[in-house]
């Protein structure tokens, strides 16, 4: 079983990987939004419901895909979009 700190570290590492495609370019936005990769950051409590490194990567990939499909840069801010995904999935 992964500890919260291991999950946080993997999330930070995954978000810091070089971009391989357009969707990956949004990892930087997510990284900047989270900013504090410590167990004190309440934004990271969603990781308590994730049980594997693969699930963390899937979560990031799903958020990046959702940004591409549904984000309206004229009607909302990227940080609001990411926050809503964190809160409501």
């Amino acid at each position: 079983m992964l500890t919260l700190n291991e999950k946080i570290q993997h999330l930070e590492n995954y978000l810091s990987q070089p971009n391989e495609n357009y969707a990956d370019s949004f990892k930087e936005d997510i990284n900047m939004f989270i900013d504090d990769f410590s167990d004190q950051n309440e934004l990271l409590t969603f990781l308590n419901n994730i049980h594997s490194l693969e699930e963390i990567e899937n979560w990031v990939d799903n958020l990046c895909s959702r940004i591409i499909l549904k984000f309206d840069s004229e009607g909302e801010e990227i940080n609001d979009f990411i926050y809503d995904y964190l809160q409501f999935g």
Side-chain angles (χ1 to χ4, degrees), residues 55-70:
E55 283 183 67
I56 293 169
E57 294 172 10
N58 287 340
W59 183 90
V60 170
D61 294 343
N62 288 339
L63 175 52
C64 289
S65 295
R66 185 169 288 187
I67 291 170
I68 290 170
L69 295 173
K70 297 188 177 195

Side-chain angles (χ1 to χ4, degrees), residues 17-72:
Q17 290 179 354
N19 298 340
E20 295 180 9
N21 56 47
Y22 178 67
D24 285 348
S25 67
F26 293 105
K27 288 180 182 177
E28 185 176 331
D29 292 308
I30 300 166
N31 196 345
M32 288 188 307
F33 176 78
I34 294 173
D35 187 45
D36 174 22
F37 288 88
S38 73
D39 57 4
Q40 302 301 312
N41 186 345
E42 292 186 18
L43 291 173
L44 299 175
T45 58
F46 76 93
L47 289 171
N48 291 323
N49 299 322
I50 292 180
H51 305 290
S52 71
L53 300 179
E54 183 179 339
E55 283 183 67
I56 293 169
E57 294 172 10
N58 287 340
W59 183 90
V60 170
D61 294 343
N62 288 339
L63 175 52
C64 289
S65 295
R66 185 169 288 187
I67 291 170
I68 290 170
L69 295 173
K70 297 188 177 195
F71 176 64
D72 176 14

